[in-house]
Amino acid sequence: MTGKHVVVTGAGTGIGRAVARRLARDGASLTLLARDRGRLEAVAATLDVATHVVSCDITDRTRVDRAFAGASEALGPIHALVAASGIGGPNGDGPGDRFDEIVRVNLGGTYSCARASVRHLAPGPDARHLVVISSILARIAVPAYTGYSASKAGLLGLVRSLAAELAPGNVQVNAICPGWVDTDMAWQGLDALAEAIGGTREDAYRRAMSEVPMGRMSQPDDIAGTVAWLLSPDARGVTGQAIDQNGGAWTG
């Protein structure tokens, strides 16, 4: 990845942070984008590569456009986007229904970032890449997660359509669908499960892992490794795909 400029959204925490660290080890220059500038700066301070930090609400398309233009000015044309920004949690009928918010961030925000990145891509003929972090909830049914599931399933349609649209220019577009990953968002979900079953966090973990044949959560670094592979020449010709990385919890 030496000499390549990668934009990582959601880079302040979880999978996005792990991706940034992995790609930095591989030599990429990085634009780190998320809402919380303090978290981004903390990540950037640990990286021994050129970095550009941008605080941005990805639901604001004008700000997204400015952010990607600024990234290109700071570190040069973009070779890849890794779209890891997103919000989680349940939603339900009533005045507090978060459906619109979740879809606006996870699907609409990712779309805006994808379009903005394409406008600032490095010239070919070498492959350029868009990698989108979706979820196992794009595949399976979970009660009370209609917004999250719909947004993550929508990302798979977005990836397929963009892959077909951009393939003639040698731009590869793929998704990763993680299952349980050891992140703050996952543990918040387990805490909610614990409350629902009237048990402890450990009870919730055991119940969740009972549905994972490998019996454990993935680590953020596991997902980062798959991202690194997708950005490598070894993945030449892989586009429009959704890679399921979930310990065997869904094998369809």
Side-chain angles (χ1 to χ4, degrees), residues 3-246:
K4 302 292 180 65
H5 173 199
V6 183
V7 178
V8 182
T9 74
T13 59
I15 292 172
R17 178 173 58 198
V19 168
R21 289 173 173 168
R22 170 58 189 267
L23 297 182
R25 290 198 301 272
D26 291 347
S29 300
L30 295 170
T31 290
L32 310 179
L33 187 152
R35 287 179 295 183
D36 190 325
R37 186 177 186 88
R39 287 179 173 175
L40 294 176
E41 289 176 343
V43 173
T46 69
L47 307 179
D48 192 24
V49 295
T51 58
H52 174 64
V53 170
V54 184
S55 174
C56 181
D57 176 357
I58 63 170
T59 66
D60 185 331
R61 190 168 296 182
T62 299
R63 291 184 63 186
V64 169
D65 290 344
R66 286 201 300 262
F68 278 80
S72 182
E73 291 174 7
L75 296 179
I78 296 166
H79 296 86
L81 165 69
V82 181
S85 286
I87 59 175
N91 67 287
D93 190 25
D97 191 347
R98 301 174 57 238
F99 184 92
D100 289 344
E101 175 196 9
I102 294 168
V103 172
R104 184 168 60 249
V105 173
N106 294 355
L107 182 55
T110 299
Y111 174 78
S112 295
C113 290
R115 286 298 187 196
S117 70
V118 170
R119 286 193 288 274
H120 297 282
L121 284 178
D126 291 345
R128 282 71 39 80
H129 299 269
L130 279 63
V131 178
V132 171
I133 305 301
S134 181
S135 169
I136 191 174
L137 267 68
R139 307 293 204 184
I140 64 174
V142 176
Y145 276 73
T146 53
Y148 190 77
S149 296
S151 69
K152 293 298 186 175
L155 288 176
L156 301 189
L158 175 64
V159 161
R160 288 190 292 268
S161 293
L162 283 176
E165 180 179 323
L166 300 175
N170 202 22
V171 178
Q172 295 169 233
V173 187
N174 292 289
I176 301 172
C177 295
W180 287 104
V181 182
D182 188 3
T183 64
D184 290 344
M185 184 184 293
W187 286 105
Q188 289 165 8
L190 287 173
D191 287 340
L193 176 60
E195 183 176 354
I197 65 176
T200 65
R201 174 182 272 196
E202 290 71 26
D203 294 332
Y205 179 84
R206 283 192 293 271
R207 175 175 290 196
M209 293 307 105
S210 72
E211 299 177 0
V212 179
M214 294 187 74
R216 58 175 174 80
M217 284 185 171
S218 297
Q219 293 299 310
D221 285 347
D222 299 336
I223 312 304
T226 303
V227 170
W229 174 74
L230 284 170
L231 300 184
S232 76
D234 290 340
R236 184 173 59 182
V238 178
T239 196
Q241 303 305 307
I243 297 176
D244 294 290
Q245 191 166 356
N246 54 48

